[in-house]
Amino acid sequence: MDWLEQLRWDEKGLIPVIAQEKDTGDVLMFAWMNREALQKTAELGRAVYFSRSRGKLWFKGEESGHVQTVHEIRVDCDQDVVLLKITQTGHHPGIACHTGRHSCFFSLLRDGQWQAIDPVLKDPASIYK
């Protein structure tokens, strides 16, 4: 059986994906992939996602230059979530978030309020022109 067919895709043909930094273990982002995106990711060794808002493949870093080099592709026990072990390139430290932060998970719930606790490493206006 084809390895892509062994996965449990949702009704839209998508699967959730977590990008985790290989060296630090930091969870950098969450995204979606369709079959084509996951196949291209495996072939290229570079993260390719499916943009639901644009309805097309999204090569991570195509606009920002913040590419994700993929070292491992894992699947969870239910075969319905993919984990990418990656190296975030294009800036040091790596920027995975469109807000210019290292991780998309920069807000912490504290005293009933969401507080941004991680710094902006690069102004998004200078990343996306």
Side-chain angles (χ1 to χ4, degrees), residues 36-112:
E36 184 181 7
L38 185 51
Q39 186 166 7
K40 285 195 178 300
T41 296
E43 289 171 4
L44 300 173
R46 171 186 176 182
V48 180
Y49 300 106
F50 181 78
S51 171
R52 295 179 303 160
S53 61
R54 293 180 243 163
K56 67 175 191 167
L57 293 185
W58 160 41
F59 288 73
K60 178 68 174 155
E62 65 189 354
E63 292 178 32
S64 66
H66 303 148
V67 174
Q68 292 176 345
T69 302
V70 177
H71 302 283
E72 294 180 2
I73 301 173
R74 297 182 181 211
V75 67
D76 76 328
C77 57
D78 295 322
Q79 296 180 310
D80 62 358
V81 177
V82 170
L83 173 67
L84 301 180
K85 297 276 191 160
I86 61 104
T87 298
Q88 184 69 55
T89 65
H91 186 275
H92 187 76
I95 295 173
C97 186
H98 74 280
T99 66
R101 290 177 173 88
H102 178 62
S103 170
C104 294
F105 298 95
F106 59 84
S107 293
L108 174 70
L109 183 60
R110 191 179 280 158
D111 300 323

